[in-house]
Amino acid sequence: MDAEPLVAPGGCIGIVGGGQLGRMTALAAAALGYRCRVLDRDPLAPAKQVAAHDTADYDDMAALERFAAKVDVVTCEFENVPVAALEALALWKPVRPGPRAFAIAQDRLPEKDFAREVGFATPPYRAIAAESDFDGAAYPAILKTRRLGYDGKGQARIASAEEGRAAWTRLGRVPCLLEGLVDFEREVSAIIARAADGALRAFDVVENRHRQGILDLTIAPAPIAPARAAEAQRLAGAAAQRLGLVGLLAVEMFVDRQGRLLFNEMAPRPHNSGHWTIEGCTASQFEQLVRAVVGLPLADPARRANAVMKNLIGDEVRAWSRLAADPALKLHLYGKAEIRAGRKLGHVTRLYPLDVTPDPRSAFP
Ligand code: AMP
């Protein structure tokens, strides 16, 4: 007999965070007959346009308890949700993934230590808590705040200990990580789903190209050796397993000039580099997350088309009507009213037959 899911269709998934990742998760949940309720402190958060919602701060315990009472299971769509909020929610309802995955992913030091324990190689790194910590490190290097950095924010490239000390002062002398600068051939990511029974299903490894620290393009599949891609998926699976995570884990890596994989960072949530799976795979990353958190069997994440995904950042979104008119493109807009530089406002995906290598240069003329 098939096992009953934790939450049957008709039930409600609580999503902490109301950004585009929550919005696309709610749309996938609706397709499977589930309702969603979004919690975000911003009354205009984009996911609130497509789901029931509450507006509250994440440290408002009474609001968290009211939210938990209205949902059957809780998941998160952003990484920096306070761990205390997740621990509180877990008193009332299952939280998937649980607080531990977030606690590790929110601090670059335990995150890198964890990656090494799992078997990933990493760039050389050391904690920075005092000016003398810059002495004797290898340069060039990149200085990153341990917490709350994203899209290249809270980072500085430095060529010497002197420059490091100056950059650290500019970053407010908060706890940082100093990492060796990798001369990488390309950046790749792996997204894996893990179910409560331990089943693992990986999406194909993709290549990511950034501009000014923000993801610009994702190319699926990544043009890397199949053995390298399999290693990335195996290590991502080992990380999810070790975390006991139920949901999605996205791992960003570098491929260096020798073809070696180096861990950069991970996120226990849907990932921008997985948006191509909406059209490119038999089930998207968002459907896979919904399945994992409600306890349905994981779907087959097989690639049915090659793809290039481009983010629409800031003014790029103004091309929406031209993009919508191109029959070869699939346009997604996130319902954000205000166009700001560096803000992700939508994305667009172009599909290719499985035997055609996607060319990112001609994908979006
Ligand atoms: P992160 O926020 O750590 O993902 O960094 C943002 C981007 O900065 C990455 O996607 C890379 O393009 C670049 N970057 C981060 N760390 C390194 C590194 N150790 N070596 C070279 N480039 C890096």
Side-chain angles (χ1 to χ4, degrees):
M1 240 209 31
D2 292 342
E4 284 289 310
L6 172 74
V7 184
C12 185
I13 302 167
I15 303 176
V16 181
Q20 62 267 19
L21 300 174
R23 180 181 170 109
M24 289 185 271
T25 301
L27 295 173
L32 283 171
Y34 290 89
R35 294 172 297 117
C36 288
R37 174 170 285 272
V38 165
L39 177 69
D40 196 296
R41 58 164 74 102
D42 176 1
L44 299 178
K48 291 186 176 178
Q49 296 168 7
V50 302
H53 47 85
D54 292 336
T55 299
D57 280 323
Y58 301 122
D59 58 2
D60 179 342
M61 287 298 148
L64 291 178
E65 186 168 7
R66 283 196 300 275
F67 175 73
K70 288 181 275 194
V71 305
D72 298 302
V73 63
V74 175
T75 193
C76 288
E77 65 99 51
F78 77 112
E79 208 164 315
N80 286 315
V81 54
V83 171
L86 296 180
E87 285 169 345
L89 288 166
L91 297 173
W92 302 300
K93 290 291 155 69
V95 176
R96 297 179 157 183
R100 182 159 166 259
F102 287 87
I104 294 175
Q106 284 173 5
D107 184 333
R108 292 184 189 274
L109 182 62
E111 184 185 40
K112 288 249 172 17
D113 291 344
F114 172 80
R116 291 187 83 102
E117 279 164 36
V118 166
F120 280 103
T122 67
Y125 63 93
R126 61 164 75 181
I128 298 289
E131 295 213 332
S132 58
D133 291 332
F134 288 96
D135 295 331
Y139 296 96
I142 180 159
L143 183 66
K144 303 179 178 180
T145 57
R146 278 172 54 175
R147 291 183 165 274
L148 299 174
Y150 69 99
D151 285 350
K153 294 190 177 66
Q155 296 190 5
R157 290 180 181 220
I158 53 178
S160 66
E162 266 324 290
E163 270 186 44
R165 285 187 265 272
W168 190 45
T169 299
R170 281 196 299 279
L171 291 174
R173 296 166 84 90
V174 294
C176 281
L177 202 71
L178 186 66
E179 263 179 51
L181 195 68
V182 180
D183 178 24
F184 57 79
E185 181 187 77
R186 63 185 89 243
E187 294 185 75
V188 299
S189 58
I191 301 177
I192 195 151
R194 184 176 177 275
D197 66 4
L200 291 164
R201 295 275 183 283
F203 291 98
D204 280 319
V205 174
V206 297
E207 175 177 356
N208 299 313
R209 298 201 185 162
H210 295 81
R211 249 191 338 179
Q212 290 159 359
I214 305 175
L215 183 67
D216 180 36
L217 293 172
T218 292
I219 302 151
I224 59 173
R228 206 50 74 244
E231 185 191 352
Q233 290 176 323
R234 182 182 63 74
L235 287 167
Q241 194 69 31
R242 197 174 177 108
L243 289 168
L245 164 148
V246 178
L248 295 177
L249 184 69
V251 182
E252 296 180 41
M253 292 152 280
F254 304 112
V255 180
D256 75 7
R257 301 276 166 199
Q258 287 73 47
R260 287 179 307 217
L261 284 175
L262 298 170
F263 175 98
N264 180 28
E265 60 180 2
M266 64 181 188
R269 55 161 174 80
H271 195 259
N272 196 167
S273 70
H275 293 357
W276 71 279
T277 63
I278 298 173
E279 292 84 20
C281 294
T282 41
S284 74
Q285 62 167 344
F286 303 103
E287 175 175 342
Q288 204 69 307
L289 174 63
V290 168
R291 285 172 172 264
V293 303
V294 301
L296 287 177
L298 295 179
D300 173 8
R303 175 165 42 90
R304 58 180 183 182
N306 296 345
V308 180
M309 185 282 315
K310 176 167 175 36
N311 271 334
L312 300 175
I313 298 167
D315 280 333
E316 287 174 341
V317 79
R318 296 189 197 278
W320 63 268
S321 62
R322 178 174 61 79
L323 296 168
D326 186 335
L329 298 182
K330 176 70 182 169
L331 175 67
H332 297 256
L333 297 174
Y334 303 151
K336 297 182 186 178
E338 201 190 329
I339 299 177
R340 281 198 305 264
R343 194 175 198 208
K344 293 171 182 168
L345 296 155
H347 73 266
V348 64
T349 302
R350 182 184 290 276
L351 297 180
Y352 301 80
L354 287 170
D355 57 355
V356 173
T357 302
D359 177 4
R361 281 165 310 182
S362 62
F364 305 105

